[in-house]
Amino acid sequence: MRRVPGSRPWRAAAIRLLAVAIIALLVGAAWQAVGRYSKPPDRKGSPASQTTVALGDVLTRTTVVGSPIKRASPDAVMVGQSAGVRLLSYGFVPSYGQGAALRAAPAGRRLIAFTAVPTAGEDGQAQPMLSLRVGTTERGPLVVTKDYVVASVASGESNVALVLTNGDVKQSISLITGLPSRSNLDVCTRAHRGATVNAARKVTVKVTDKSGRSGMTSGTLTVRAVSLTYWGADGSRPSSTGRALLHIEATVKLAGDREGYGAEPGLLSVTAPGATAGPARNAAADSHAEVDAVTDVPADITTGTIHYAGTIRTATGTIGVVTPISVPFSIPAG
């Protein structure tokens, strides 16, 4: 679709899986030391195999774990600005490795394993910056591998999580429950983050220059689409992790214009449950050359109404909407 100069294209945030799995391995860390041998009995009480008890604070990768682990829910995903990650499986295991490399948990500790894959971020497809949080301590960064990650944690530890860091924003998923943290970015995990509107309305505006001369002109306001993001192109964000920036892709074409231009954010506003009152603002990276009209809304917004009304002052005078316009929109839930 041809882009109208001065307008901002609809930003889709499709999440797609890569071919490799993200598994945790502490960069630069040595493999754990080998401890004493133990001989777990088989069902008849005779020695079944020779198992080495791993020593200390294990953080490693392996292709084999001693028991199946849980499949994570579809909601176990974190999306940052440039990268994301989806947890695939997680859970406690009795051992990892096989043959001479078979390892059991150190005394007083449990082994926890997980697998995950990288996903797209809101604005890009960079490699995610991951770490493992145990209690209040984070270990990382983690590297990409196709294997399981296995870590040993104290038997009574209840806070073990995979952490995604993107800039100064941290998100996490519990490796004990598989649940994302309540402080994660709600809008980034929505399946539906935008909708096409394609509504055109006739409009009349009054233009007054600095000398006080006024004139009336008419044209068309076209609202093409709405979309939701957490990050604005100018680096701005909504007021909390439970909210989002609603982008309004709207253009105005007045009599004599060869093509439309981005509707002035100061003349746009949104009414919806929980939406921020007042006019939209320009969140474009270069506000002198582009228009990206945004307003702060709840991350789970599904319906609302866009208004084109009011008067604003510009560098050359004032622009007032004589015939206010309202355009409803709807974004699928979820």
Side-chain angles (χ1 to χ4, degrees):
M1 180 175 67
R2 183 173 65 87
R3 182 181 179 185
V4 176
S7 68
R8 179 186 179 281
W10 177 25
R11 296 164 60 181
I15 298 180
R16 33 184 212 282
L17 300 181
L18 301 181
V20 294
I22 290 285
I23 306 296
L25 176 64
L26 184 61
V27 175
W31 290 72
Q32 74 282 358
V34 174
R36 63 181 176 81
Y37 285 108
S38 65
K39 295 183 179 181
D42 64 14
R43 294 180 181 177
K44 296 180 180 180
S46 60
S49 63
Q50 195 172 57
T51 304
T52 303
V53 176
L55 289 181
D57 195 9
V58 177
L59 178 56
T60 189
R61 60 183 178 183
T62 181
T63 58
V64 178
V65 291
S67 64
I69 55 177
K70 300 175 185 177
R71 178 177 296 179
S73 76
D75 296 331
V77 61
M78 300 179 284
V79 178
Q81 186 172 15
S82 61
V85 65
R86 180 182 296 278
L87 182 68
L88 295 181
S89 60
Y90 66 97
F92 288 103
V93 295
S95 62
Y96 64 91
Q98 57 186 337
L102 184 63
R103 301 289 185 268
R109 303 181 72 83
R110 301 179 70 186
L111 296 173
I112 194 165
F114 71 92
T115 62
V117 292
T119 68
E122 190 171 82
D123 291 330
Q125 186 72 67
Q127 180 170 308
M129 179 70 72
L130 300 174
S131 57
L132 180 70
R133 180 188 295 149
V134 179
T136 58
T137 302
E138 283 188 29
R139 299 177 65 187
L142 311 176
V143 299
V144 178
T145 175
K146 297 178 181 180
D147 302 330
Y148 293 93
V149 159
V150 177
S152 69
V153 300
S155 296
E157 181 59 66
S158 60
N159 181 12
V160 184
L162 177 64
V163 178
L164 171 70
T165 302
N166 210 166
D168 62 349
V169 177
K170 286 183 178 289
Q171 302 179 70
S172 63
I173 297 175
S174 171
L175 294 176
I176 296 178
T177 66
L179 297 176
S181 169
R182 292 183 178 180
S183 63
N184 286 6
L185 310 181
D186 291 348
V187 69
C188 291
T189 55
R190 280 193 64 162
H192 304 288
R193 295 176 60 184
T196 300
V197 181
N198 280 342
R201 302 284 191 273
K202 296 297 182 182
V203 65
T204 300
V205 299
K206 180 180 180 180
V207 180
T208 304
D209 63 20
K210 287 184 175 181
S211 65
R213 293 177 300 179
S214 298
M216 305 280 283
T217 185
S218 60
T220 303
L221 169 77
T222 302
V223 179
R224 296 184 174 179
V226 292
S227 61
L228 297 166
T229 71
Y230 184 77
W231 285 272
D234 63 349
S236 62
R237 306 171 189 171
S239 55
S240 74
T241 59
R243 298 182 68 82
L245 299 179
L246 177 74
H247 301 258
I248 306 166
E249 187 183 343
T251 59
V252 176
K253 186 177 181 182
L254 299 175
D257 291 338
R258 297 185 61 182
E259 57 184 11
Y261 61 89
E264 299 87 349
L267 297 176
L268 294 169
S269 62
V270 171
T271 54
T276 300
R281 60 179 179 81
N282 192 356
D286 182 356
S287 60
H288 299 290
E290 296 180 300
V291 174
D292 182 6
V294 304
T295 187
D296 191 301
V297 299
D300 61 354
I301 188 172
T302 56
T303 61
T305 303
I306 298 165
H307 305 281
Y308 184 68
T311 300
I312 60 170
R313 185 176 297 277
T314 70
T316 57
T318 61
I319 300 173
V321 179
V322 179
T323 55
I325 292 170
S326 295
V327 177
F329 66 88
S330 179
I331 302 172

